[in-house]
Amino acid sequence: MTMTTYASPDFTGSAQTISVWAPNAERSVHLVADGVRSLMRSGDDGWWHSREPLAVGSEYAFSVDGGDLRPDPRSLLQPEGVHGPSQVVDLGEYEWSDAEWQGHHTRAGGNGLEGAVFYELHIGTFTEEGTFEAAAARLDHLVDLGVTHVEILPVNAVPGRWNWGYDGVNWYATSSAYGGPQAFQAFVDACHAKGLAVCLDVVYNHLGPNGNYLPVFMPIYNEARQSPWGTAINLDGPNSDEVRRFIIENALMWFERFHVDAFRLDAVHALVDESAVHILEEIVANLEAAAERLGRRVVVVAESDRNDPATVTPRRREPVTGEIAVADGGSSGLGLTGQWADDIHHALHVLLTGETQGYYEDFADPEALAKVFTTPFFHDGTYSSFRGRRHGRPVDPAQTPGWRYVASLQTHDQVGNRASGDRLSHLLSFGRLACGAALLLSSPYTPMLFMGEEYGARTPWQFFTDHDDPEIAAATSRGRAEEFAAHGWGDEVPDPQEESTFTNSTLDWSELDDTEGESALLLDWYRTLIRLRRDEQALAADDLGTTRVERRGKGSSSVVVVHRGDLRVVVNLSDEPVTEAGEVVAAWHTVDVREGRDGSGSSVVIPTDSVALLR
């Protein structure tokens, strides 16, 4: 199998020819634009083309074989929602100011994640207004914090007024609720002006249940394959070449037309593809080719449940002849830049909270923390009780740097998929939150924060939807309650269809108004740790296997000492203060630093739920 190199669809100009891939059409495809109905011209391989170009701002839809009007599968804007007509947009109209921007400059000067710190946010709940413009007004907060990448949850069109973004049905359309495509371009431009890279979360493994009209046009599903969401996307069945093109050109559009720097690919383990060249490898190859052509950098990070280092193992580079990259016998890996490492989250969560239910059970192992600080996969061929089988594969520390793995204390999934969307700040003291921050930000991995984590936000982040189909809405509400009823949480689960579930999840920035309070102290602690991660060679090191973890005591009532080069991160989760010798590099505000009387150096008394970094 060969890999064709693609380019982003044009989507520019004051008048545009409208084309649609509709091989499912048996007789005809009609275009209805601004109230005028016309027969489209049949082209090659199932493509249909408008006979006249449409002006920017025109609203249009398609009728396949005389059926109901449906939006364009490649629509850029759905002004009346996912069921309404599409609108012609000129993506070349925005005047960019980021000509000098080349992306996050890593320590090695390459395309990796060295030195990166991610910050995950949801545009709709990051601010009260819930728009790109309002989010841009908060960028100085992120710059002061010291993060390098703003990772935003999916921005494509979804049913209703609010959604996490994973129910997307128009992969090319930017949500009008957030401001639409030009507002997104302006947001990315504003990030670049502040020195922030933008990582976009994209979903190619499934489509939402409400407003998905792609099957009217194309064989988007492979009936012979199943995924966790039902029938799998058609990545390797008949007519799958154009489906793959549909996906790859979408990624190229975000990169080329919206200047996105990085991608987080949702649940890649659910991309069912038995092709010789996996869709992930083809996405990466095309993005890298575009980056080289444009003189930019691109980063591709996967969310994967497979614990397989092949995801980030560099792919074999194939020679390019014309428009075809010719495979030369296979590749050594899929070649993604990095991947999420949930095992690190699980080990940290169990240590800090003591929770051991569900998939946390295995991480009650006293050796779990020590293992995940030297390899990202706790399950690397070992038995997983949650799965009831062996899981994962070892990572070779000599071949794989720690920066390839994204680690976190909280994410949209780990918070939002709790029954009531409670954050660590609802479960832990501020001192213990500071301990967690020190462990994460001193690790050899690429850290990621979830919006509000840096100041201990008290607002929950819950699962919310706004489905307008009564049956889907009822099933969503019912399913959410039933999902947690087995845990005894049935009465506490917010109804995802209630507006209050969405509004309650919006960050309350007034929590930072008290500049002397614990939220301000925690924010300053995060700033300090991120600065030290950049300035201290020991914390910047990402060689796996060089970190050593020492545990004194048991479970979540222990003293943890993480050795990173000449630094020690001493975390006291026990019931008694501990005294440690050494030069204090940084400490949570409750510690007591004591200078030696004979000039022999200082020591520090670390009370319970507190932490110090010592040299």
Side-chain angles (χ1 to χ4, degrees), residues 391-411:
H391 183 66
R393 190 171 189 165
V395 171
D396 182 354
Q399 299 294 324
T400 308
W403 57 256
R404 286 198 180 274
Y405 295 93
V406 178
S408 59
L409 287 168
Q410 302 178 78
T411 70

Side-chain angles (χ1 to χ4, degrees), residues 9 55 66 133 174 192 207 257 277 315 357 372-373 377 504 609:
E133 183 179 11
T174 306
H192 291 170
L207 290 142
R257 306 298 180 186
V277 179
R315 63 185 179 85
Q357 71 272 27
V372 301
F373 264 60
F377 301 150
N504 289 343
D609 284 1

Side-chain angles (χ1 to χ4, degrees), residues 303-433:
E303 179 199 21
S304 175
D305 185 47
R306 297 183 63 223
N307 280 22
D308 185 355
T311 303
V312 298
T313 300
R315 63 185 179 85
R316 182 173 298 158
R317 302 296 175 132
E318 294 106 2
V320 177
T321 304
E323 294 186 350
I324 302 295
V326 183
D328 61 355
S331 60
S332 55
L334 294 174
L336 278 75
T337 319
Q339 73 174 84
W340 280 22
D342 282 350
D343 284 7
I344 303 168
H345 167 274
H346 300 344
L348 289 170
H349 186 90
V350 170
L351 173 74
L352 295 169
T353 68
E355 294 183 348
T356 57
Q357 71 272 27
Y359 51 72
Y360 292 133
E361 179 181 355
D362 291 345
F363 297 87
D365 185 331
E367 301 302 318
L369 186 70
K371 183 173 182 178
V372 301
F373 264 60
T374 57
T375 179
F377 301 150
F378 178 72
H379 290 301
D380 53 3
T382 59
Y383 182 79
S384 166
S385 63
F386 177 71
R387 298 174 179 87
R389 58 172 174 80
R390 286 181 294 118
H391 183 66
R393 190 171 189 165
V395 171
D396 182 354
Q399 299 294 324
T400 308
W403 57 256
R404 286 198 180 274
Y405 295 93
V406 178
S408 59
L409 287 168
Q410 302 178 78
T411 70
H412 76 274
D413 270 332
Q414 301 299 340
V415 174
N417 283 326
R418 294 177 67 86
S420 54
D422 43 333
R423 298 168 175 265
L424 284 181
S425 54
H426 297 106
L427 307 174
L428 306 175
S429 67
F430 271 87
R432 193 160 283 220
L433 292 175

Side-chain angles (χ1 to χ4, degrees), residues 92-138:
E93 186 176 355
Y94 181 78
E95 295 184 7
W96 291 90
S97 63
D98 65 350
E100 302 302 317
W101 173 261
Q102 292 185 329
H104 168 61
H105 288 266
T106 66
R107 287 195 298 267
N111 292 339
L113 294 171
E114 305 97 316
V117 179
F118 278 64
Y119 186 95
E120 186 187 38
L121 65 86
H122 175 261
I123 292 294
T125 53
F126 185 58
T127 65
E128 184 176 357
E129 298 87 349
T131 63
F132 292 122
E133 183 179 11
R138 290 285 180 182

Side-chain angles (χ1 to χ4, degrees), residues 374-569:
T374 57
T375 179
F377 301 150
F378 178 72
H379 290 301
D380 53 3
T382 59
Y383 182 79
S384 166
S385 63
F386 177 71
R387 298 174 179 87
R389 58 172 174 80
R390 286 181 294 118
H391 183 66
R393 190 171 189 165
V395 171
D396 182 354
Q399 299 294 324
T400 308
W403 57 256
R404 286 198 180 274
Y405 295 93
V406 178
S408 59
L409 287 168
Q410 302 178 78
T411 70
H412 76 274
D413 270 332
Q414 301 299 340
V415 174
N417 283 326
R418 294 177 67 86
S420 54
D422 43 333
R423 298 168 175 265
L424 284 181
S425 54
H426 297 106
L427 307 174
L428 306 175
S429 67
F430 271 87
R432 193 160 283 220
L433 292 175
C435 293
L439 288 168
L440 173 68
L441 291 166
S442 66
S443 78
Y445 304 110
T446 296
M448 184 180 76
L449 317 181
F450 180 59
M451 62 177 195
E453 170 187 331
E454 72 277 14
Y455 63 86
R458 305 302 296 176
T459 50
W461 205 73
Q462 300 169 337
F463 178 67
F464 46 81
T465 56
D466 186 36
H467 291 298
D468 52 15
D469 182 301
E471 291 186 7
I472 294 176
T476 301
S477 298
R478 183 174 62 251
R480 189 70 174 175
E482 291 174 352
E483 180 181 356
F484 291 99
H487 301 284
W489 297 336
D491 294 337
E492 302 175 16
V493 182
D495 185 343
Q497 283 288 121
E498 289 290 334
E499 182 174 353
S500 59
T501 306
F502 166 72
T503 56
N504 289 343
S505 300
T506 302
L507 286 182
D508 179 4
W509 289 92
S510 69
E511 292 179 14
L512 283 174
D513 289 345
D514 181 2
T515 57
E516 303 296 326
E518 287 188 298
S519 290
L521 289 170
L522 185 63
L523 175 60
D524 184 63
W525 179 238
Y526 267 87
R527 288 171 177 157
T528 298
L529 291 169
I530 292 173
R531 175 181 54 79
L532 289 174
R533 184 177 180 86
R534 182 182 64 245
D535 296 343
E536 290 283 345
Q537 183 176 358
L539 298 183
D542 51 28
D543 292 340
L544 293 178
T546 61
T547 302
R548 181 167 62 88
V549 176
E550 176 188 350
R551 290 283 293 271
R552 308 171 195 162
K554 297 181 179 180
S556 57
S557 297
S558 60
V559 177
V560 177
V561 182
V562 180
H563 298 264
R564 294 275 284 146
D566 64 342
L567 294 181
R568 285 173 292 144
V569 183

Side-chain angles (χ1 to χ4, degrees), residues 249-266:
E249 289 188 351
N250 178 257
L252 289 170
M253 179 195 73
W254 297 121
F255 181 69
E256 296 183 21
R257 306 298 180 186
F258 289 85
H259 296 199
V260 163
D261 305 280
F263 295 85
R264 182 261 191 189
L265 304 184
D266 182 66

